[in-house]
Amino acid sequence: MSFREKYARIAEHYETLERPLDRYFCPLRRKAISSIEGKRILEVGVGVGKTLKYYPRDVELCGIDAVPGALEIARRKARELGLNACFREADVERLPFPDGSFDTVVSSFVFCTVPHPEKGMGEIRRVLKPGGRVIFLEHTRSDSRLINYLFLRPMKLLLKPLLDDDPLRETHKLVKRYFEIEHEESRYAGVVRLIVARKSGKLSTSLCARRLRGLGSAGDSGRCFPL
């Protein structure tokens, strides 16, 4: 069963399941959204719309998610909030937008479940305008080996088969390969990180094209470095 099918099964109950964590995560969501720039905003993995109430009413927001049931909940919230928002069923690894479409891209607790995170990161960079801002609020491997061993490893054993969720990913390191970091904030010994970064420089287009088509050699790590 794919992660889309797994999340589809719990979409209607997601907010209830996550409610005990809201006191920890909602202030971070608010802080993440407060860092957006420009008018055209893309949120990848918008899910049931946990961040929507923090957006200014004058932005043009597009939210994408791979789970139709979650998008329906997000659409209803956006209408109730009076947001100028559209929602599309789409995958962060294959974003259905032209290059340089958005001023800011937001990812909130998404990359722990993206099957091929390098592809997703490359797609975010592609649709972001030159000099545009990207904001990540993500679960990551802790700075503490003890926390990784006693807490995150057992959690992965539970969450990986249930939701394809990997809480031990080093998304913060991956971001640095694609964007220029402006601010990084670590919470709970690095279990959660808020990263604000910017698109700068040019990428090796031939390498990116190979990576996004999945044609790289076995030794190709999928990196696309600014030149």
Side-chain angles (χ1 to χ4, degrees):
M1 185 183 296
S2 70
F3 82 92
R4 296 171 185 80
E5 294 170 312
K6 293 175 180 179
Y7 273 92
R9 294 174 64 182
I10 66 166
E12 292 184 4
H13 310 289
Y14 186 81
E15 291 201 270
T16 301
L17 293 171
E18 202 185 50
R19 190 164 293 137
L21 298 175
D22 280 351
R23 60 180 296 188
Y24 305 105
F25 291 165
C26 283
L28 292 173
R29 290 186 175 101
R30 181 193 296 272
K31 188 169 186 177
I33 302 307
S34 72
S35 297
I36 64 172
E37 287 184 347
K39 195 171 185 67
R40 289 183 55 79
I41 314 298
L42 171 66
E43 181 167 344
V44 300
V46 67
V48 298
K50 299 281 285 188
T51 59
L52 295 182
K53 60 185 176 182
Y54 305 121
Y55 280 100
R57 298 300 179 265
D58 60 345
V59 301
E60 298 173 6
L61 174 66
C62 184
I64 66 108
D65 201 277
V67 181
L71 286 173
E72 284 304 314
I73 296 171
R75 285 192 185 97
R76 183 173 67 245
K77 285 185 180 179
R79 286 194 297 269
E80 293 170 355
L81 290 166
L83 277 177
N84 179 15
C86 67
F87 298 91
R88 295 180 65 171
E89 183 181 348
D91 189 329
V92 69
E93 296 180 14
R94 291 176 292 276
L95 293 174
F97 308 107
D99 296 359
S101 295
F102 298 97
D103 300 303
T104 298
V105 179
V106 177
S107 170
S108 176
F109 301 119
V110 172
F111 271 79
C112 50
T113 58
V114 175
H116 305 98
E118 293 87 356
K119 288 185 179 180
M121 204 65 68
E123 278 289 86
I124 287 175
R125 182 180 171 92
R126 180 183 66 77
V127 302
L128 194 61
K129 292 180 179 179
R133 173 166 282 187
V134 60
I135 302 164
F136 294 93
L137 179 60
E138 299 288 349
H139 301 293
T140 59
R141 180 187 293 270
S142 174
D143 298 321
S144 165
R145 291 184 179 181
L146 188 62
I147 290 176
N148 289 331
Y149 183 75
L150 295 180
F151 178 59
L152 294 184
R153 286 186 183 277
M155 183 178 290
K156 179 177 178 178
L157 292 175
L158 174 66
L159 294 179
K160 190 65 175 175
L162 285 177
L163 298 171
D164 279 349
D165 190 321
D166 184 353
L168 285 168
R169 283 190 175 170
E170 295 182 319
T171 302
H172 54 300
K173 294 183 179 180
L174 184 62
V175 172
K176 293 175 182 177
R177 286 161 46 185
Y178 288 80
F179 302 99
E180 180 181 332
I181 306 299
E182 294 186 327
H183 174 75
E184 182 174 341
E185 190 173 316
S186 173
R187 295 293 183 94
Y188 317 117
V191 172
V192 175
R193 297 177 202 261
L194 172 61
I195 304 168
V196 179
R198 194 170 297 278
K199 176 180 177 178
S200 62
K202 297 180 180 179
L203 289 180
S204 168
T205 54
S206 61
L207 179 56
C208 278
R210 286 171 57 206
R211 176 178 53 77
L212 292 174
R213 292 196 305 265
L215 298 179
S217 64
D220 186 352
S221 66
R223 299 187 198 182
C224 290
F225 293 103
L227 295 176

